[in-house]
Amino acid sequence: MSILKVPTLETERFILRPLTVDDAEAVFAWTGDERVNTYMPYNTHRSPDDSMAWLKSLEGLENEYQWGFVRKSDGLLIGSGGMRHRMDCDKWSFGYNIRFDCWNRGYTTEITKCMIDFIISQGAKHIIGECAVENIASARVMEKCGLAFTGYSEYSRFDGSKTYKSKVYELNEGE
């Protein structure tokens, strides 16, 4: 296990950079929104203090990269996401979360492709993504990023309050 240095990455429209505790107010714009939270494993944040606590927890993450997504056109932090090495199966999984007013603009696909390209450049061979069956938009993002549907599973909220049936997608580099 190791704490990874999160590099700054860039796409045509975004800068992906490490998150800091100074981002709490901006982060609350999506973590506190029930619409964004519908299929997320975390509970909706009730205040920027919840977002601050989450940001502080990122400091000790092992085997995981977490980025904030900053839109170049106006400098707005619109979301966050990351790549995590799953030691149990030697695969990298990813996740993302963006403000509701930024949905349906191709942002998530552009950002996710960047994260996947980065992790492949670091030697990753197997990438896995998962989304709730009802989350058609996330399924499309995974397909647009080159992942193939491989089956069904389920995941639960961190507090166990809800379980979602899910679709699993995978990318096996070099196969």
Side-chain angles (χ1 to χ4, degrees), residues 38-102:
T38 302
Y39 303 113
M40 292 291 124
Y42 66 86
N43 289 324
T44 304
H45 291 187
R46 295 175 308 283
S47 73
D49 289 340
D50 289 344
S51 299
M52 174 72 75
W54 173 70
L55 288 164
K56 286 180 179 177
S57 78
L58 298 180
E59 295 169 7
L61 286 180
E62 294 181 335
N63 299 316
E64 186 167 338
Y65 296 96
Q66 278 289 328
W67 290 277
F69 310 145
V70 179
R71 190 166 50 194
K72 288 180 180 178
S73 65
D74 58 7
L76 183 67
L77 179 64
I78 66 139
S80 64
M83 303 286 301
R84 179 174 61 93
H85 187 235
R86 294 172 51 172
M87 306 297 280
D88 61 325
C89 60
D90 196 28
K91 294 179 182 179
W92 285 86
S93 62
F94 62 91
Y96 43 76
N97 213 351
I98 69 169
R99 295 167 53 117
F100 182 77
D101 61 353
C102 292

Side-chain angles (χ1 to χ4, degrees), residues 21-30 48-49 51-52 55 77 99:
V21 293
D22 295 334
D23 295 320
E25 288 284 339
V27 168
F28 184 65
W30 65 88
D49 289 340
S51 299
M52 174 72 75
L55 288 164
L77 179 64
R99 295 167 53 117

